[in-house]
Amino acid sequence: MKVNILHQPDCAIAHLILKPGEDILAEAGSMIAMNGDMQVSTTLRRGKGGGIFGGIKRSLAGESLFLSVFRAPSTGGEIFLSPQMLGDIFHYQLRETGLIVQATSYLACSAQVILDIGVQGFKSFFSGESFFWLDISGRGDLLLSSFGAIYEIFVEGDYIVDTGHIVAFEKTLTFEITKPPGSSWVSSWLSGEGFVCRFKGRGRLWCQTHNPQAFGQLIGSQLSARTE
């Protein structure tokens, strides 16, 4: 497929041109427009341990229960996709190195890409962020979305990122959830910094400029209480 990312970085949409018979799997509700003769179906998920259990795991991770499958007709086709949040879209071509992706950043992928959902233990649970991560492997095209712009960091050694700003990282990196260096747990919470993610190893990391959870808390505090 041919991928064009338009209107970056704040209101990005993806324009995909598919070959005849080519499939694209996308997050449910992400389609903006497409050919009138494009074939559309749904699936619970794609990857290891599929079926209803896989769909339920996606739902618990903050994703929709179903994925949409779009198949181009014999003449080829095009489709426009957009994430739910205002922000950027990143096109990554999977080869040898797979990615770990925060669950809500997945937008779409080609049919050869394998999606699996795993729980990264209590180290993610206690971060206050989604404790599910997508384990993405295979070969093909992958589209990820963010809240705000996406920027790439090359890690060699140790690197620290606020948990709410992580989009994805290569599997060559390991991580642990911890407090900011030089602070106690109490001062970390009082300062509003909360938890951070310490990466180790050598590989690429992608971050988003805004934290969806922090933004939601800010907006929520400005809204008046509902009255019946």
Side-chain angles (χ1 to χ4, degrees):
M1 73 181 69
K2 183 178 180 181
V3 180
N4 298 311
I5 310 298
L6 311 174
H7 308 300
Q8 290 179 291
D10 52 352
C11 295
I13 61 174
H15 177 212
L16 310 180
I17 301 175
L18 305 181
K19 297 177 182 178
E22 189 172 19
D23 289 344
I24 181 77
L25 286 82
E27 185 65 15
S30 62
M31 189 275 293
I32 299 175
M34 64 180 179
N35 286 62
D37 50 359
M38 188 81 75
Q39 299 178 35
V40 184
S41 59
T42 58
T43 181
L44 284 169
R45 69 186 296 268
R46 181 177 180 83
K48 303 172 184 176
I52 187 64
F53 179 68
I56 291 173
K57 285 206 300 180
R58 282 178 50 79
S59 181
L60 290 173
E63 297 284 274
S64 60
L65 185 63
F66 295 97
L67 291 173
S68 297
V69 183
F70 301 93
R71 173 168 293 179
S74 58
T75 55
E78 68 173 11
I79 183 171
F80 289 86
L81 301 175
S82 175
Q84 295 181 3
M85 300 288 284
L86 291 175
D88 208 352
I89 295 176
F90 171 55
H91 177 212
Y92 183 83
Q93 291 186 314
L94 281 165
R95 293 294 183 264
E96 299 298 328
T97 303
L99 287 184
I100 302 298
V101 177
Q102 69 117 331
T104 56
S105 289
Y106 170 79
L107 180 62
C109 65
S110 53
Q112 296 77 26
V113 172
I114 299 172
L115 307 177
D116 196 23
I117 297 178
V119 181
Q120 298 294 317
F122 289 105
K123 63 182 180 182
S124 295
F125 178 75
F126 285 118
S127 71
E129 308 295 334
S130 171
F131 61 98
F132 283 94
W133 298 85
L134 291 176
D135 187 329
I136 301 182
S137 58
R139 303 178 73 89
D141 295 282
L142 173 66
L143 295 177
L144 303 178
S145 65
S146 67
F147 183 38
I150 294 178
Y151 57 97
E152 178 182 317
I153 298 171
F154 182 76
V155 178
E156 192 165 16
D158 287 3
Y159 210 89
I160 294 174
V161 181
D162 180 274
T163 53
H165 289 266
I166 300 168
V167 173
F169 55 93
E170 293 181 328
K171 291 183 181 179
T172 53
L173 296 173
T174 60
F175 77 98
E176 63 175 346
I177 303 295
T178 184
K179 61 181 177 61
S183 63
S184 67
W185 288 109
V186 174
S187 63
S188 176
W189 279 111
L190 292 177
S191 68
E193 291 298 325
F195 290 100
V196 297
C197 193
R198 180 185 291 272
F199 290 94
K200 294 183 179 181
R202 191 172 190 272
R204 290 183 294 171
L205 161 70
W206 290 269
C207 298
Q208 56 192 3
T209 55
H210 300 298
N211 182 331
Q213 185 180 41
F215 180 77
Q217 291 172 348
L218 175 64
I219 295 299
S221 67
Q222 306 301 314
L223 299 177
S224 57
R226 291 184 60 184
T227 57
E228 297 297 334

